[in-house]
């Protein structure tokens, strides 16, 4: 009888482990297919890889933000190099947040999404756009007005 109890406990433990793996698999796979409005890291909630969105406008270059100057916007965490940039963003996040949630603008124009690289950026007509890499950015820059028109028509449908 004692051996039957032990086998029963082992089976119950196996069932529990199996259920946990199934639950983890469901949560993991749903995260892969669910796209949020703001492109964040896979295991992070940081927008634009913790780069300061305001610095693209004020310093005209990508600058990493500081954990000390952080805010939340559209369910993502945004980081800034100083309090002045944090305050500017809080006052007008739509002005500084990258278009298309920080996804690659060229990919959105194609009806898809790809990660936007904070080092492949353009401020055009006072809006910040990110691209996937140098090659894609070169394509983007050649027909930027055409791609913006296409991307505007497809956004936010590509994340739904």
């Amino acid at each position: 009888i004692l051996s039957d109890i032990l086998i029963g406990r082992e089976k119950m433990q196996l069932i529990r482990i199996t259920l946990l793996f199934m639950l983890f698999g469901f949560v993991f796979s749903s995260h892969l297919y669910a796209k949020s409005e703001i492109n964040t890291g896979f295991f992070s909630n940081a927008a634009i890889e913790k780069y300061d969105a305001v610095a693209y406008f004020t310093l005209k270059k990508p600058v990493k933000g500081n954990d000390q100057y952080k805010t939340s916007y559209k369910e993502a965490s945004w980081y800034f190099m100083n309090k002045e940039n944090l305050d500017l963003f809080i006052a007008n996040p739509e002005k500084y947040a990258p278009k298309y949630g920080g996804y690659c603008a060229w990919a959105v124009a194609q009806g898809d999404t790809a990660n936007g690289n904070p080092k492949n950026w353009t401020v055009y007509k006072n809006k910040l756009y990110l691209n996937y890499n140098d090659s894609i950015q070169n394509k983007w820059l050649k027909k930027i007005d055409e791609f913006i028109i296409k991307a505007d028509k497809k956004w936010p449908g590509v994340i739904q």
Side-chain angles (χ1 to χ4, degrees):
I1 294 177
L2 183 57
S3 64
D4 290 339
I5 292 171
L6 290 176
I7 292 172
R9 286 183 184 166
E10 289 173 0
K11 285 182 182 177
M12 286 302 295
Q13 186 68 12
L14 184 59
I15 290 170
R16 284 187 193 121
I17 291 170
T18 302
L19 288 173
L20 280 173
F21 275 110
M22 288 173 60
L23 178 63
F24 177 75
F26 173 75
V27 170
F28 183 73
S29 66
S30 66
H31 181 74
L32 286 175
Y33 297 106
K35 296 177 185 172
S36 65
E37 186 176 356
I38 303 297
N39 184 25
T40 59
F42 189 71
F43 291 110
S44 166
N45 195 33
I48 55 176
E49 298 179 24
K50 293 189 174 184
Y51 279 81
D52 182 332
V54 176
Y56 291 100
F57 296 86
T58 59
L59 298 177
K60 311 235 183 290
K61 66 180 182 178
V63 177
K64 275 284 197 178
N66 184 320
D67 289 348
Q68 184 179 351
Y69 306 107
K70 173 179 150 182
T71 192
S72 181
Y73 172 69
K74 292 191 176 182
E75 299 182 20
S77 296
W78 299 78
Y79 296 81
F80 303 90
M81 61 183 278
N82 56 37
K83 185 174 180 343
E84 293 78 19
N85 285 10
L86 170 63
D87 291 343
L88 285 169
F89 185 86
I90 290 171
N92 193 355
E94 289 294 322
K95 176 179 180 177
Y96 297 106
K99 290 288 286 182
Y100 320 120
Y103 291 97
C104 173
W106 183 87
V108 173
Q110 309 311 306
D112 203 354
T113 60
N115 286 330
N117 184 336
K119 294 179 181 177
N120 291 102
W121 61 279
T122 307
V123 172
Y124 182 72
K125 295 185 179 177
N126 215 27
K127 297 289 180 188
L128 174 60
Y129 299 91
L130 302 181
N131 292 118
Y132 179 74
N133 61 21
D134 292 340
S135 172
I136 295 298
Q137 187 171 24
N138 288 334
K139 289 180 185 181
W140 167 258
L141 292 171
K142 288 178 183 173
K143 297 182 180 181
I144 193 167
D145 288 309
E146 179 183 320
F147 290 133
I148 289 172
I149 291 167
K150 287 181 179 181
D152 284 348
K153 288 179 183 174
K154 293 177 181 181
W155 182 259
V158 294
I159 59 168
Q160 296 170 346

